[in-house]
Amino acid sequence: MGYFDAASAAPLHPIARQALLASLDEGWADPARLYREGRRARMLLDAAREAAAEAVGCRVDELVFTSSGTRAVHTGIAGALAGRRRVGRHLIVSAVEHSSVLHSAEVHEADGGTVTQVPVDRGGAVDPEAYGAALRADTALACLQSANHEVGTEQPVTAVAGLCRAAGVPLLVDAAQSLGWGPVDGDWSVLTASAHKWGGPSGVGLLVVRKGVRFASQGPVDERESGRAPGFENIPAVVAAAASLRAVRAEAAEEAARLRELTERIRARVPELVPDVEVVGDPVRRLPGVVTFSCLYVDGEALLHELDREGFSVSSGSSCTSSTLTPSHVLRAMGVLSEGNVRVSLPLGVAEEDVERFLAVLPGAVSAVREKLGAPVSEAVVREADTLVVDSLGKRCPIPVIELAKVIGEVPVGGLVRVLSDDEAARLDIPAWCEMRNQEYVGEEPADQGTAYLVRRAS
């Protein structure tokens, strides 16, 4: 099996399948009714809530089931902000949060609130002191993911939660990627998660609001799920989600050690097998099954198609995907290469042989894409005094970087290359290329069209 995109959606766990099928016959009735069928459904729902609360490490009455992890995030942020509106309307998020958090922040800002984005280091982690510095008297809520969805970096939740608690500010933790591996440490106030990330069925999210946290549910009042998740509960899916969470937790310690060994193998061998590759994300504080790398001179979408033909399903945060022509906000915030980005996220039980086969086919796949993009650039190069100008206007990354790499040797050491580009990804990829190739990135300046990026040959 070559499915290596478990961070997007993990395959349905066998226990989840069994629980789902078994509860279809018992969990179809309205759990709010007092007759026999309703009582059976209520027993299943209560048991699932108890199991999920035990896994999270919270009280049973603090946890509700939502229709998705995204819905849990939106509800959690909106409710926490509304509950503390008298305190202020300032929201803090990290620059690498999941899009569901950032979209909520955009809505809050459009409604008159203020938002502070805390930057991350090159490994993708926030500095707790930066979070502390962002806290203000009018801060209503802070948000921090437990681990990043694109590069696997774990965040210092415990330290940030301590700072927030000392300031009297609730911290919302998006635990979608990490909850299957263990509870989230720290004195957090609100937590969200999504069942399909740990092998449960899609369409089930968790929202936990600690007792004592001011929370005002938004939208029409509904009597179900403490008024925080309107609509009839999907009891079979909820039961399967809780059962699979308990099951993956029982396997977590042993499986985490095995997956760490496999991802360390990928991290070490990819740069040996493929030239001009940057492995991104924190090398130590990271999720067990996630490894991400970026390849110079490679179109991310083309590489994913090439690997798909070889039988491997991976994802990408590359700037060149079918859904967007701008760099991934995570890679951009980290300041790392976005070209040819590949995220490998191994599912539970993945075979070692599949990882070895992936490493065997990867070099050929990268070479094939690079060969297709290796267009001659002689007509695009002109000289202006002592500066070599590369006109890459109208060309999408990685072409501007490829053209830069081909001509850098034509200028003397200390000479300049001026790359003209109107692709936003070049703002990230050209400096990243300079760092990887030991060249000096001078900066950017406005051009008649697009932007001019200045590179000085240093070696």
Side-chain angles (χ1 to χ4, degrees), residues 102-120:
L102 298 183
H103 290 161
S104 289
E106 290 172 0
V107 170
H108 175 64
E109 199 165 26
D111 192 40
T114 58
V115 178
T116 296
Q117 274 200 11
V118 179
V120 296

Side-chain angles (χ1 to χ4, degrees), residues 118-189:
V118 179
V120 296
D121 61 22
R122 195 170 176 83
V126 302
D127 180 357
E129 293 185 4
Y131 252 82
L135 291 167
R136 306 186 327 208
D138 64 338
T139 301
L141 177 67
C143 301
L144 180 64
Q145 58 190 190
S146 55
N148 186 259
H149 51 291
E150 285 192 26
V151 300
T153 298
E154 294 178 336
Q155 301 291 356
V157 171
T158 299
V160 171
L163 292 170
C164 290
R165 178 65 66 181
V169 175
L171 177 68
L172 182 148
V173 177
D174 172 13
Q177 292 295 336
S178 73
L179 193 60
W181 298 109
V184 178
D185 295 330
D187 199 6
W188 47 265
S189 300

Side-chain angles (χ1 to χ4, degrees), residues 353-378:
E353 294 76 17
D354 287 336
V355 172
E356 287 296 327
R357 189 166 65 87
F358 173 78
L359 291 170
V361 304
L362 179 65
V366 174
S367 295
V369 175
R370 285 175 172 167
E371 184 176 352
K372 293 175 184 176
L373 294 174
V377 299
S378 56

Side-chain angles (χ1 to χ4, degrees), residues 251-272:
E251 309 163 353
E254 182 177 352
E255 189 64 4
R258 195 179 74 88
L259 291 186
R260 285 191 190 280
E261 191 281 325
L262 293 176
T263 52
E264 285 303 317
R265 189 182 308 182
I266 297 173
R267 287 178 64 86
R269 289 182 57 188
V270 165
E272 297 174 354

Side-chain angles (χ1 to χ4, degrees), residues 91-432:
L91 171 66
I92 302 173
V93 300
S94 84
V96 294
E97 294 298 315
H98 188 269
S99 59
S100 60
V101 173
L102 298 183
H103 290 161
S104 289
E106 290 172 0
V107 170
H108 175 64
E109 199 165 26
D111 192 40
T114 58
V115 178
T116 296
Q117 274 200 11
V118 179
V120 296
D121 61 22
R122 195 170 176 83
V126 302
D127 180 357
E129 293 185 4
Y131 252 82
L135 291 167
R136 306 186 327 208
D138 64 338
T139 301
L141 177 67
C143 301
L144 180 64
Q145 58 190 190
S146 55
N148 186 259
H149 51 291
E150 285 192 26
V151 300
T153 298
E154 294 178 336
Q155 301 291 356
V157 171
T158 299
V160 171
L163 292 170
C164 290
R165 178 65 66 181
V169 175
L171 177 68
L172 182 148
V173 177
D174 172 13
Q177 292 295 336
S178 73
L179 193 60
W181 298 109
V184 178
D185 295 330
D187 199 6
W188 47 265
S189 300
V190 182
L191 180 141
T192 64
S194 186
H196 75 280
K197 302 292 187 181
W198 65 67
S202 59
V204 179
L206 302 184
L207 171 62
V208 180
V209 181
R210 294 286 199 191
K211 290 298 180 182
V213 175
R214 291 186 177 276
F215 193 93
S217 298
Q218 301 301 287
V221 176
D222 192 288
E223 70 276 8
R224 298 181 186 273
E225 294 299 298
S226 304
R228 294 173 182 166
F232 198 101
E233 299 93 343
N234 184 347
I235 294 178
V238 164
V239 169
S244 58
L245 181 56
R246 175 178 285 180
V248 298
R249 281 290 188 82
E251 309 163 353
E254 182 177 352
E255 189 64 4
R258 195 179 74 88
L259 291 186
R260 285 191 190 280
E261 191 281 325
L262 293 176
T263 52
E264 285 303 317
R265 189 182 308 182
I266 297 173
R267 287 178 64 86
R269 289 182 57 188
V270 165
E272 297 174 354
L273 296 169
V274 182
D276 299 316
V277 164
E278 181 179 16
V279 181
V280 300
D282 193 289
V284 178
R285 291 180 54 84
R286 57 185 305 99
L287 292 171
V290 178
V291 56
T292 307
F293 55 89
S294 299
C295 308
L296 273 175
Y297 322 133
V298 169
D299 176 277
E301 185 179 13
L303 180 55
L304 264 57
H305 286 318
E306 200 72 33
L307 290 171
D308 185 41
R309 281 194 287 269
E310 295 288 348
F312 291 98
S313 303
V314 298
S315 65
S316 173
S318 172
S319 59
C320 303
T321 63
S322 57
S323 59
T324 175
L325 293 175
T326 59
S328 149
H329 73 276
V330 172
L331 301 178
R332 183 171 62 245
M334 293 167 61
V336 298
L337 183 70
S338 71
E339 294 176 23
N341 179 259
V342 173
R343 180 189 68 184
V344 173
S345 48
L346 303 176
L348 300 177
V350 64
E352 180 180 359
E353 294 76 17
D354 287 336
V355 172
E356 287 296 327
R357 189 166 65 87
F358 173 78
L359 291 170
V361 304
L362 179 65
V366 174
S367 295
V369 175
R370 285 175 172 167
E371 184 176 352
K372 293 175 184 176
L373 294 174
V377 299
S378 56
E379 295 181 359
V381 178
V382 297
R383 284 194 179 273
E384 291 182 357
D386 296 328
T387 302
L388 198 64
V389 179
V390 177
D391 185 354
S392 293
L393 295 170
K395 300 176 181 178
R396 296 295 180 185
C397 281
I399 297 301
V401 182
I402 293 175
E403 295 182 339
L404 167 62
K406 287 187 175 182
V407 303
I408 191 71
E410 298 181 18
V411 299
V413 174
L416 284 175
V417 177
R418 191 168 185 260
V419 183
L420 303 178
S421 177
D422 52 5
D423 183 5
E424 180 66 23
R427 180 166 284 111
L428 180 64
D429 290 346
I430 290 177

